[in-house]
Amino acid sequence: MSLADAPDLPTNLPAYSVSELSFALKRTLEDAYGQVRVRGEVSKVTRHASGHVYLTVKDDKASIDGVIWKSVRGISVRPETGMEVIVSGRITTYPARSSYQLVIETLEPAGVGALLAQYERLKARLAEEGLFSAERKRPLPALPNVIGVVTSPTGAVIRDILHRLQERWPCQVIVWPVVVQGEAAAAQVAAAVRGFDALPVAGGPVPRPDIIIVARGGGSVEDLWPFNDEALARAVAACTIPLVSAVGHETDTTLIDFVSDRRAPTPTAAAEIATPVLADLAAEVADSARRMERCTRVALEQARERLRSAERGLPRPEALLGLPSQRLDLATRGLAAGLSHHAALHERRFAGVAGRLNASLLDRSARAKADRLSQLTGRLQREGLRIVEQSTQRARLPQLSARLDSGVERHLERATERLARLEQVRRTLDPDAPLVRGFARVHAADGRIVRAASALSAGERVRLQFAVDAAEASIGASVENDPAASPKPRSSRPSKPSDPRDMVSRQGRLF
């Protein structure tokens, strides 16, 4: 058809600009669909640095783009790809791209709306009964000896908890294996809590835990729903052992979090809440010991100063013994005079008999008696002084004994501290300590330690010493300039979880 045969186009239609037509369509859509409610599957979730969230809601035949502004406060569930949701909002257009989108104001998982309402009613009823009150929550033990863990034995949660406990506070851990997802999860977790609580305090085949940790990793609302069970919440509330809940991530909240004695944002945080740090406690004890030693030294020095002050206030021994010595001297002179007078009386009484004796014999007898009297006088003086000195020394004996005991104790304490420091240095310098962390020590054939690859030649036999045993090896070609022999980068794929049966064999079976 030629241009001449073309029909005449109407010329009375108004000519819109692109902007006018785009904004007219925008107003039409917003007026016709001011508020809509859409159910579908979430896909293509993008969280922008500005805080806005862009996503797509789709079904098997169509899809519609959606946006959640960062200022919206009605979103209680974090949207994830593959989640079936019910969203409500308004339809608008984006004129710059000639497209329409759904501005989302509320979002909830599909089929969980009734469950959420039931959750709120159950939460309010348990709160009215006082199960959430702070007065009934028990304090956690400061130094637990046994920790009970209720979780799945095959997940990463139990490995994280055991690793954290080994770093902070090595103690006995009893794992009660349960499923943490599905219909049977709530009943098994409740039975585990009641089972731990029913263990005897002492004398049983299984030790009773000092604290219980109920742990599970993150997941969707449906995955965490068993921990909103009423029977489980009441079992936790009735448990007499302090309990820490670590269910989901920090943003996830279940009823067991309100009923438990403490809530942890993650299973690793639960291990940190339940235990202290052994190194910090050791440092605190050492600091307290040093402070006590300093206080003891100050107290002893003050006691010595008070003793010296009291000693200066006492009189000298010469002043105390001067008067008794003078009385002793007077008594001695009186005794000698009395003996002389008594001898003179006897001499006159027996004058007749003495006349018949030889004058020389009487002289010798008198001199002998005088010498005896002098000896007795000297002994009497020395005996008196010795008695006074013995009483003084006997009074000082308890004080000297106490000072000797305290000095021996201080010497033993210092020797013990020096021995502990030497033991710590010995452990630090132990050449076999790095072997426990996975290192190996290379010995040449003559037994010397090899410190550089240049000291070895190709084909030379060496001995590799590990922490437990040793192995023989042969030296290959040098890898210094061989790019083909350079180590390959380690794969970023996570290591395969350990066999659950191995973990059960290490932990021991509870029942």
Side-chain angles (χ1 to χ4, degrees):
M1 182 174 61
S2 64
L3 294 176
D5 297 334
D8 295 335
L9 295 176
T11 59
N12 57 349
L13 292 177
Y16 292 99
S17 67
V18 176
S19 298
E20 290 176 346
L21 182 58
S22 296
F23 283 101
L25 292 174
K26 177 180 177 68
R27 287 191 297 272
T28 302
L29 277 176
E30 290 179 351
D31 292 340
Y33 300 96
Q35 191 71 26
V36 295
R37 184 176 172 87
V38 182
R39 176 170 180 162
E41 182 181 345
V42 177
S43 65
K44 300 179 181 179
V45 180
T46 303
R47 293 173 176 85
H48 199 269
S50 62
H52 308 316
V53 179
Y54 300 93
L55 52 84
T56 300
V57 181
K58 66 177 183 178
D59 57 13
D60 57 344
K61 297 180 181 180
S63 64
I64 180 172
D65 293 334
V67 59
I68 303 175
W69 306 124
K70 67 176 182 179
S71 59
V72 176
R73 294 291 182 265
I75 308 300
S76 60
V77 179
R78 183 184 179 93
E80 300 289 347
T81 301
M83 180 186 297
E84 188 175 1
V85 295
I86 298 177
V87 298
S88 62
R90 53 187 176 84
I91 297 293
T92 185
T93 64
Y94 185 50
R97 294 184 180 177
S98 185
S99 62
Y100 66 94
Q101 61 184 2
L102 175 62
V103 179
I104 299 174
E105 297 175 352
T106 63
L107 184 148
E108 61 182 10
V112 186
L115 293 178
L116 290 178
Q118 179 184 356
Y119 165 81
E120 292 297 336
R121 290 194 298 270
L122 178 58
K123 178 181 176 182
R125 181 155 52 87
L126 295 179
E128 291 178 358
E129 295 180 12
L131 268 64
F132 301 165
S133 61
E135 292 78 9
R136 58 162 298 277
K137 295 184 182 297
R138 294 169 293 272
L140 303 183
L143 304 174
N145 294 323
V146 181
I147 298 179
V149 181
V150 179
T151 187
S152 172
T154 59
V157 171
I158 184 61
R159 292 195 297 272
D160 294 341
I161 292 177
L162 293 176
H163 178 70
R164 197 57 177 160
L165 291 177
Q166 183 65 28
E167 289 180 345
R168 292 172 57 90
W169 183 257
C171 60
Q172 185 177 1
V173 179
I174 301 176
V175 180
W176 193 305
V178 296
V179 295
V180 293
Q181 183 174 338
E183 297 180 356
Q188 290 191 15
V189 175
V193 173
R194 288 192 293 266
F196 273 135
D197 193 33
L199 292 175
V201 177
V206 178
R208 179 184 175 89
D210 299 318
I211 189 172
I212 299 175
I213 299 176
V214 178
R216 188 208 187 280
S220 63
V221 175
E222 292 85 354
D223 296 338
L224 302 180
W225 197 256
F227 294 91
N228 293 322
D229 184 73
E230 180 179 1
L232 174 57
R234 295 189 181 278
V236 171
C239 181
T240 59
I241 302 175
L243 188 142
V244 177
S245 65
V247 178
H249 297 298
E250 188 171 1
T251 56
D252 301 323
T253 304
T254 58
L255 285 180
I256 191 176
D257 296 329
F258 297 101
V259 182
S260 62
D261 298 301
R262 288 287 296 275
R263 177 186 181 269
T266 60
T268 302
E272 296 176 355
I273 292 174
T275 57
V277 181
L278 182 60
D280 294 345
L281 291 179
E284 184 177 354
V285 170
D287 182 66
S288 299
R290 288 191 294 270
R291 291 175 59 189
M292 184 171 60
E293 182 181 358
R294 288 195 299 269
C295 294
T296 303
R297 288 200 298 268
V298 171
L300 289 176
E301 186 61 31
Q302 292 176 352
R304 292 191 187 98
E305 185 63 29
R306 289 195 300 268
L307 182 60
R308 286 192 289 267
S309 300
E311 183 180 3
R312 287 193 295 268
L314 293 175
R316 295 189 303 274
E318 295 81 4
L320 292 175
L321 298 178
L323 185 59
S325 299
Q326 187 177 7
R327 289 200 301 268
L328 180 61
D329 294 339
L330 293 175
T332 303
R333 288 196 296 270
L335 179 61
L339 290 175
S340 299
H341 178 68
H342 187 69
L345 291 178
H346 282 282
E347 185 178 358
R348 287 193 299 268
R349 183 178 300 173
F350 298 101
V353 179
R356 294 192 296 269
L357 296 178
N358 193 310
S360 59
L361 183 60
L362 289 176
D363 293 339
R364 287 196 299 272
S365 177
R367 285 195 298 271
K369 290 182 180 181
D371 293 339
R372 178 62 175 170
L373 179 62
S374 299
Q375 292 177 2
L376 291 176
T377 303
R379 288 178 59 187
L380 182 60
Q381 292 178 350
R382 290 194 300 272
E383 187 68 16
L385 292 176
R386 187 174 61 83
I387 292 173
V388 173
E389 183 178 359
Q390 287 180 352
S391 62
T392 304
Q393 297 295 337
R394 190 177 296 109
R396 293 182 58 194
L397 183 60
Q399 179 183 0
L400 294 175
S401 178
R403 292 177 59 186
L404 178 62
D405 293 341
S406 61
V408 171
E409 291 177 357
R410 288 196 303 273
H411 182 73
L412 290 178
E413 290 175 356
R414 293 170 184 169
T416 302
E417 291 177 358
R418 289 197 297 272
L419 182 60
R421 289 194 293 270
L422 291 175
E423 175 63 18
Q424 185 175 3
V425 172
R426 185 193 68 78
R427 292 183 179 177
T428 303
L429 300 179
D430 186 7
D432 293 334
L435 304 183
V436 180
R437 298 195 297 271
F439 295 93
R441 190 167 56 244
V442 182
H443 293 268
D446 55 359
R448 59 185 175 86
I449 298 177
V450 180
R451 294 179 172 82
S454 59
L456 299 173
S457 59
E460 184 176 351
R461 299 293 295 179
V462 296
R463 182 172 178 267
L464 302 180
Q465 180 64 43
F466 298 94
V468 179
D469 50 8
E472 298 290 337
S474 177
I475 301 300
S478 173
V479 298
E480 180 177 0
N481 297 320
D482 188 2
S486 60
K488 297 182 180 180
R490 182 177 296 178
S491 174
S492 61
R493 178 181 299 175
S495 61
K496 184 177 180 182
S498 60
D499 194 347
R501 293 172 295 179
D502 295 339
M503 184 177 302
V504 172
S505 64
R506 293 195 302 271
Q507 285 293 320
R509 295 184 177 273
L510 181 61
F511 294 108

